[in-house]
Amino acid sequence: MAVVVKYVVERNGVERMTFTTKKEADAYDKMLDIAESLELMLEKVDVPLSEQQIESLALEIAKSKEDFMTILKGGKDPVVTKAPAKNKKADNASAAQDNDEKKVS
């Protein structure tokens, strides 16, 4: 019988993701912390966004924080592969949800 160590990231009693290394689990947990802080900030902006849009946007910004930091510090745009121009907000929301569901193993 093999012994398998798994690191589970849990938020509000819900398993979000399972990892095989502590380093990966800690990085994902930190990304979720950043996304949570961004959500609080985005709720205060004077742009009409739904709760789902705020959550999705915050998660995407947190995932790409290095690129955003570069731009906010006055750097050049990082090379970004562009997806076909369709309803990106809906795609991002469903992709983020799908990724969370797939990775919770």
Side-chain angles (χ1 to χ4, degrees), residues 24-37:
E24 290 174 325
D26 286 341
Y28 187 76
D29 188 50
K30 183 175 181 179
M31 189 264 308
L32 290 178
D33 285 339
I34 292 168
E36 193 173 288
S37 296

Side-chain angles (χ1 to χ4, degrees), residues 73-87:
K73 290 179 181 178
K76 301 225 181 220
D77 285 341
V79 177
V80 179
T81 40
K82 294 190 177 190
K86 57 182 181 177
N87 189 351

Side-chain angles (χ1 to χ4, degrees), residues 14-88:
V14 178
E15 282 188 24
R16 296 294 302 251
M17 187 95 70
T18 302
F19 297 92
T20 56
T21 68
K22 183 175 182 346
K23 183 178 179 180
E24 290 174 325
D26 286 341
Y28 187 76
D29 188 50
K30 183 175 181 179
M31 189 264 308
L32 290 178
D33 285 339
I34 292 168
E36 193 173 288
S37 296
L38 285 167
E39 283 181 43
L40 295 173
M41 196 171 107
L42 289 170
E43 288 173 351
K44 297 176 187 176
V45 299
D46 193 24
V47 177
L49 297 170
S50 71
E51 186 176 323
Q52 181 62 42
Q53 288 173 321
I54 289 173
E55 184 179 323
S56 296
L57 182 58
L59 190 59
E60 290 304 314
I61 292 171
K63 286 179 183 177
S64 303
K65 72 177 182 175
E66 297 303 323
D67 293 339
F68 278 95
M69 292 301 293
T70 300
I71 292 169
L72 290 171
K73 290 179 181 178
K76 301 225 181 220
D77 285 341
V79 177
V80 179
T81 40
K82 294 190 177 190
K86 57 182 181 177
N87 189 351
K88 288 184 179 181

